[in-house]
Amino acid sequence: MLKLHIDCYSFFRAGKSPKSHIPRLPMDIQRRNRGIRFRLLHAFMPLLLSLATLAGCSSARDVRLDGVDRRFAAFYSDYLIASGVISRSEDVALVPPSAPDLDLMLSRHSLTEREFQRRMKLYREQPERWKKVVALVRTDIRKK
């Protein structure tokens, strides 16, 4: 019995395990995990590629401006003209409109403050829509 104990100890010190006491695993756990990750990656790769393709295609769709966008563009052009940003003279001081003037401009274009805030958030999230609104503002300012 003592000899068996010494043999087991010598096997452990040498980095080997005796066959009688500790059975060897049929496969290395790390190698098995690598195999699982490899199979999962290959199984989900077509899905990941298709999602990336769809995301790219959805951002390239044509943005159409609605009535609120057009009213916002009209308001913004009035705001720029009232503040002096559009002036050809460089001597004009830039003065933002007062609060009553802003309220008057918003009501003239049938916008509420809440709708204004919603649109600003939407334009931050959708830069293509914002570009179209700015183009509409430019054409509106040229008309005036």
Side-chain angles (χ1 to χ4, degrees):
M1 175 108 160
L2 183 61
K3 180 162 178 37
L4 179 63
H5 179 69
I6 294 171
D7 286 342
C8 289
Y9 181 73
S10 65
F11 272 105
F12 284 120
R13 290 201 67 198
K16 301 175 185 175
S17 62
K19 291 183 181 178
S20 61
H21 291 281
I22 300 175
R24 286 191 155 262
L25 294 174
M27 185 188 296
D28 183 24
I29 293 175
Q30 289 179 348
R31 189 173 56 202
R32 188 186 71 187
N33 287 343
R34 259 183 287 176
I36 291 172
R37 280 183 278 179
F38 182 75
R39 280 186 250 129
L40 283 174
L41 181 65
H42 277 83
F44 287 110
M45 187 59 72
L47 177 66
L48 292 174
L49 289 174
S50 63
L51 287 176
T53 303
L54 287 175
C57 292
S58 67
S59 65
R61 65 179 176 199
D62 188 31
V63 177
R64 293 187 170 242
L65 299 181
D66 59 3
V68 180
D69 290 324
R70 296 182 191 289
R71 290 194 322 255
F72 185 89
F75 161 77
Y76 195 59
S77 63
D78 285 350
Y79 175 82
L80 290 175
I81 292 170
S83 65
V85 172
I86 306 304
S87 175
R88 298 197 191 281
S89 171
E90 294 193 22
D91 297 335
V92 175
L94 300 177
V95 179
S98 63
D101 291 338
L102 279 175
D103 290 338
L104 182 66
M105 277 189 250
L106 284 171
S107 65
R108 187 177 328 138
H109 297 289
S110 303
L111 288 172
T112 63
E113 287 184 40
R114 186 174 180 187
E115 185 63 40
F116 177 81
Q117 294 298 330
R118 263 194 249 140
R119 283 293 151 166
M120 291 302 294
K121 182 181 177 188
L122 178 71
Y123 297 145
R124 272 188 236 111
E125 294 170 355
Q126 298 179 6
E128 290 299 318
R129 180 180 293 270
W130 176 242
K131 287 178 185 177
K132 288 198 173 196
V133 169
V134 169
L136 195 60
V137 168
R138 287 180 185 154
T139 57
D140 194 31
I141 289 173
R142 286 185 191 127
K143 290 178 184 176
K144 294 180 181 182

